[in-house]
Amino acid sequence: GWRYAFSKEGRKEWKPEFTLRYMSGFTTSAPIITGGVRIDEKRTFSLLVGRGDTYIDHAPGDIYTIMTGVAFRRYFHLGKRKIFAIYSDLYIGAGWIDKVTGKYHINPAKGEKTEVIEESAGDVILIGGWQPGVRVRCYKNLHLFLGPTIASDCFGFHVGVGF
């Protein structure tokens, strides 16, 4: 368990694990890269970085965010060969808004400028989410995965490759 994974002998078995994933929701999409350490066959801790794009329909405009955070993945293997697994990813971090388009609406009749998007470049937002799913191991630790995304910045799905 946990005690062995962090013991001197257990740390010798740690292996790197990376994922490239894409999440997409009703108005949000983001490519995300994670890199971390698989402490045993069941658990992985990693850092993440991504580039979010949220479309604001009523503006219309976009909010572009650079996301960073930490993630924890737990595998529940199906079968002795561990080819198929159900997993659960939890992540938390911060998003820095670096660009906003369509922030203002100009009324052509009156010439008035109205702010329709409250967020501004430089704002920081909290991001966090849960990504459960199904993983299929193809070769050694090369695997494909997909599932739903339930997060503060996205409600949709994710798909990716890990190695």
Side-chain angles (χ1 to χ4, degrees), residues 63-64 96-101 103 118-124:
I63 300 172
Y64 297 95
W96 287 270
I97 297 174
D98 67 326
K99 182 179 173 185
V100 177
T101 63
K103 183 173 181 65
E118 295 177 9
E119 291 81 1
S120 299
D123 289 353
V124 178

Side-chain angles (χ1 to χ4, degrees), residues 1-12 14 37 39-40 43 45:
W2 287 96
R3 185 172 287 180
Y4 176 77
F6 286 98
S7 70
K8 189 173 183 178
E9 300 82 27
R11 285 193 303 263
K12 292 178 184 177
W14 288 9
V37 61
I39 64 170
D40 58 25
R43 295 176 282 262
F45 290 99

Side-chain angles (χ1 to χ4, degrees), residues 56 59 61 94 98 148 150 152 161:
I56 307 298
D98 67 326
I150 301 166
S152 61
V161 61

Side-chain angles (χ1 to χ4, degrees), residues 44 72-76 86-90 130-133:
T44 300
F72 172 71
R73 176 176 275 197
R74 172 68 163 94
Y75 292 107
F76 301 93
I86 295 172
Y87 65 87
S88 176
D89 279 354
L90 295 172
W130 178 46
Q131 293 182 325

